[in-house]
Amino acid sequence: MTQTMTTGLVAIAIAGAALGGAACGRTESTSQAPASSQTSAAAPAPAGTVDMTFKTDPDPATTGDNTFEVMVMQDGKPVTDATVSAEFFMAAMPAMKMPEMRMKTDLPSAGDGVYRGKGQVMMAGDWDVTVMAMRNGQELASKKVTVTAK
């Protein structure tokens, strides 16, 4: 790796860590199959509603090795027969001569609706993460979150 690229990566990591400190955390949204109308928090969940939670260990995520965990529930019961993955994406930064980055991690079942796997976060900063749960080749649910790695 050239000195210029190394210096650039260090600068990006420092900037990402500074920004991450200001905006640390995740934002979450879930799309569910089958589609349902929005309900208030007090209303009971309609039949077929799938809920997914996403966690990182450590929290917040760091550059290097991390463990990712997803809990998949349908109608309040653990989903144990899904195929779950998490795909991380960081947009290109042409001004810094950085290409877009992607990393996908399969999360095998750990039992009781929990899916867990390890993956590497390549650099500090905000990552767009799409968590996907599939059953019999069909999308069960997907969730988009932002993970800020330090």
Side-chain angles (χ1 to χ4, degrees):
M1 185 178 292
T2 66
Q3 181 64 31
T4 304
M5 187 169 206
T6 302
T7 303
L9 288 173
V10 169
I12 291 168
I14 291 170
L19 290 172
C24 183
R26 322 183 267 275
T27 57
E28 302 182 359
S29 65
T30 304
S31 94
Q32 303 168 355
S36 62
S37 61
Q38 274 206 285
T39 58
S40 69
T49 298
V50 177
D51 183 45
M52 293 196 306
T53 59
F54 177 81
K55 298 191 304 187
T56 66
D57 183 21
D59 184 12
T62 59
T63 56
D65 290 332
N66 291 267
T67 299
F68 308 113
E69 181 178 292
V70 175
M71 168 72 85
V72 184
M73 304 286 283
Q74 185 170 24
D75 298 326
K77 296 178 184 139
V79 173
T80 59
D81 61 345
T83 301
V84 178
S85 64
E87 184 170 1
F88 286 67
F89 172 79
M90 184 179 281
M93 294 178 249
M96 296 181 193
K97 298 183 178 163
M98 295 285 300
E100 74 175 37
M101 289 182 269
R102 291 183 184 271
M103 184 271 301
K104 184 175 180 181
T105 300
D106 292 326
L107 307 174
S109 177
D112 291 331
V114 174
Y115 297 81
R116 188 178 301 124
K118 292 189 181 281
Q120 282 211 343
V121 176
M122 295 175 268
M123 68 179 288
D126 289 338
W127 289 84
D128 296 325
V129 182
T130 302
V131 181
M132 181 79 65
M134 306 285 288
R135 180 188 283 149
N136 300 325
Q138 300 292 317
E139 180 180 321
L140 182 63
S142 66
K143 175 179 252 185
K144 293 188 182 292
V145 298
T146 299
V147 171
T148 301
K150 295 197 175 240

